[in-house]
Amino acid sequence: MKPTDDVLNLYVDGRLPPDEVRRVEDALADDAGLRERLEALVATREAIHAAFAESADLPGFDEAWAGVEARLDREAAARGERAPGLLERLFPGLAEGWAWLLRPQLVLAVGAAAVALVVTGLWIAGGADGTTPGPSESPRVASTNPDASPIVPGARRELGAENGRRGMVGEEHAPRSLAIVESYAVDRGVVVVSAPAGSAKRPLVIWHLVPGEELDDEEVMP
Amino acid sequence: MTGRLLCVAMTLLLLLLPLASRQLCAEGQAPQVRAEAAPDVQQAPDKRVKVEVRVIVARKGPARVDPRLDDAKDYLTRGLGSRFTGFDLLVSQVLELGPKQLGTVEVPGGESIDLTFLGVQEGYLRFKARFQDLTVRVKLYEGGVFIQAGRKLGDGVLVFLIGARSQ
């Protein structure tokens, strides 16, 4: 069977399997018309490649588009108009149906609402348990709930440690706990609460470490 | 016109959102707040506690434990680890405190530790302890013990061993 143009193109591209290649070459050896057809296909492909090579020397798309943009901007400025933004260029319908989204009043309103949201969120986080410090206590602790109390500047805490557990805040009802730290307040230094695991004879220890004194927190870790 | 109305509606919704979330948070935490605010005195109006406070200096020097601390040696060595080998008892004092009552134990050097019995809550004896600039609130199980330590005293470290039991 005579090879088609598609098969010949694959042959020229070297994408035919070996048995197909042999079959095409046998056909070419026997058929002068087929050889002419193959030469015509090759000539056409070379002409196309040459045309693409010439187009590669033309100015690039980016430069061309930049020139078009600059010209549009100049024309708009001459008419006293604002140059359209990127979104408006990409989505021309935006300027008609949804332009109100870009109004400064709306942007301001949404911004104010976002600020209110953040401030209220902080307000919630700071006072959710409804407790306030008593006048006789350090004002640095706003709550007796260790989770809700603010981190004291310069202090570190590891509250909730009890009978071998560390960082387990909120186990106030564990029946075997012998001591639990509810909260602390400190003006300087760090507070480390440690409770070595094991029997009840390993008590909870509240370390108050002040920089410059003998101990550091590496030493007090159980 | 539609745009303006939508703008106003969106702003109002965004402003109402945090108020609603605060209300939800408040509802979710209500039991905990009630538990914290519950007056302990109502649970045990006449409850009094006996608090034993021992003021100890711990040193890294020779392994010597004050004989008066024999019964507390296990607490000290297990609580403080092997970093200290010497323990001397400076002060031992028993305070009998009623609800909201403050007791003070003098510490050598002119300092003192204040202990306030805050009351009983769900089986725990609650205390506030203040020494120098540290204030802690601690809950002790009946017969429980805790240690407060870390400040330097002379060539050692000051240790408070505090235990409490109701009377």
Side-chain angles (χ1 to χ4, degrees):
Chain A
M1 189 172 67
K2 194 173 181 176
T4 63
D5 283 357
D6 291 339
V7 173
L8 288 176
N9 276 318
L10 291 173
Y11 171 74
V12 172
D13 291 338
R15 290 189 288 159
L16 280 179
D19 55 335
E20 282 290 306
V21 170
R22 273 197 304 276
R23 197 175 65 83
V24 170
E25 287 177 346
D26 289 345
L28 286 170
D30 297 339
D31 189 341
L34 188 60
R35 285 196 296 275
E36 287 175 7
R37 181 66 195 147
L38 178 65
E39 287 168 6
L41 283 175
V42 171
T44 303
R45 291 162 65 99
E46 286 173 350
I48 293 171
H49 287 163
F52 273 109
E54 287 172 7
S55 67
D57 297 331
L58 294 172
F61 174 82
D62 291 340
E63 287 113 344
W65 178 245
V68 171
E69 269 194 322
R71 184 169 55 81
L72 289 174
D73 290 346
R74 279 197 303 275
E75 290 174 1
R79 292 194 302 270
E81 296 172 358
R82 177 179 64 84
L86 177 63
L87 282 175
E88 288 163 301
R89 288 172 187 166
L90 292 175
F91 306 104
L94 185 69
E96 300 163 6
W98 298 93
W100 59 273
L101 277 173
L102 302 175
R103 287 180 181 172
Q105 296 92 330
L106 179 60
V107 173
L108 278 175
V110 171
V115 169
L117 193 66
V118 170
V119 169
T120 312
L122 292 173
W123 175 45
I124 291 168
D129 66 348
T131 59
T132 52
S136 61
E137 297 179 15
S138 167
R140 294 171 189 242
V141 170
S143 164
T144 56
N145 180 353
D147 274 339
S149 61
I151 302 256
V152 178
R156 197 186 77 193
R157 66 178 181 186
E158 296 192 5
L159 290 180
E162 51 191 272
N163 280 359
R165 296 192 178 191
R166 298 168 63 82
M168 299 292 288
V169 177
E171 293 191 359
E172 283 84 355
H173 307 294
R176 298 180 64 185
S177 298
L178 296 180
I180 298 167
V181 177
E182 289 184 309
S183 67
Y184 76 89
V186 65
D187 289 333
R188 61 191 178 123
V190 298
V191 172
V192 177
V193 179
S194 70
S199 71
K201 286 210 167 184
R202 293 188 172 183
L204 180 139
V205 183
I206 304 163
W207 293 96
H208 180 201
L209 308 172
V210 175
E213 296 195 354
E214 188 174 2
L215 291 174
D216 57 41
D217 57 354
E218 291 295 324
E219 285 187 275
V220 302
M221 287 304 181
Chain B
M1 187 62 185
T2 305
R4 288 190 178 180
L5 284 176
L6 279 170
C7 168
V8 171
M10 282 178 62
T11 306
L12 286 175
L13 280 174
L14 283 169
L15 287 171
L16 287 174
L17 185 62
L19 294 176
S21 62
R22 178 174 175 90
Q23 180 64 28
L24 288 173
C25 286
E27 287 173 4
Q29 294 194 356
Q32 184 182 349
V33 172
R34 279 199 297 272
E36 284 288 333
D40 303 320
V41 184
Q42 286 183 4
Q43 294 184 25
D46 299 318
K47 195 115 179 176
R48 294 180 64 82
V49 292
K50 190 177 283 188
V51 186
E52 183 178 19
V53 181
R54 298 194 209 190
V55 183
I56 300 161
V57 62
R59 297 186 179 88
K60 293 180 177 177
R64 197 189 79 83
V65 179
D66 192 315
R68 294 172 293 174
L69 292 172
D70 276 349
D71 61 326
K73 186 179 173 183
D74 283 347
Y75 286 115
L76 293 170
T77 54
R78 292 179 187 183
L80 305 179
S82 59
R83 60 186 65 84
F84 299 110
T85 50
F87 299 97
D88 281 320
L89 179 66
L90 302 179
V91 175
S92 179
Q93 191 169 335
V94 175
L95 305 170
E96 293 186 9
L97 301 175
K100 311 296 182 189
Q101 193 175 350
L102 168 73
T104 299
V105 176
E106 300 293 330
V107 176
E111 301 279 356
S112 62
I113 181 169
D114 294 335
L115 280 167
T116 305
F117 176 46
L118 300 175
V120 181
Q121 185 182 60
E122 295 167 351
Y124 285 99
L125 312 175
R126 297 178 66 234
F127 292 93
K128 182 173 78 174
R130 189 195 61 78
F131 179 68
Q132 293 180 340
D133 61 337
L134 172 65
T135 302
V136 292
R137 284 174 181 262
V138 181
K139 292 199 293 192
L140 284 182
Y141 204 62
E142 186 69 49
V145 172
F146 76 97
I147 289 174
Q148 184 174 320
R151 300 309 304 272
K152 191 170 172 60
L153 182 71
D155 59 345
V157 171
L158 198 55
V159 176
F160 297 104
L161 181 65
I162 300 168
R165 187 179 297 278
S166 57
Q167 290 183 304

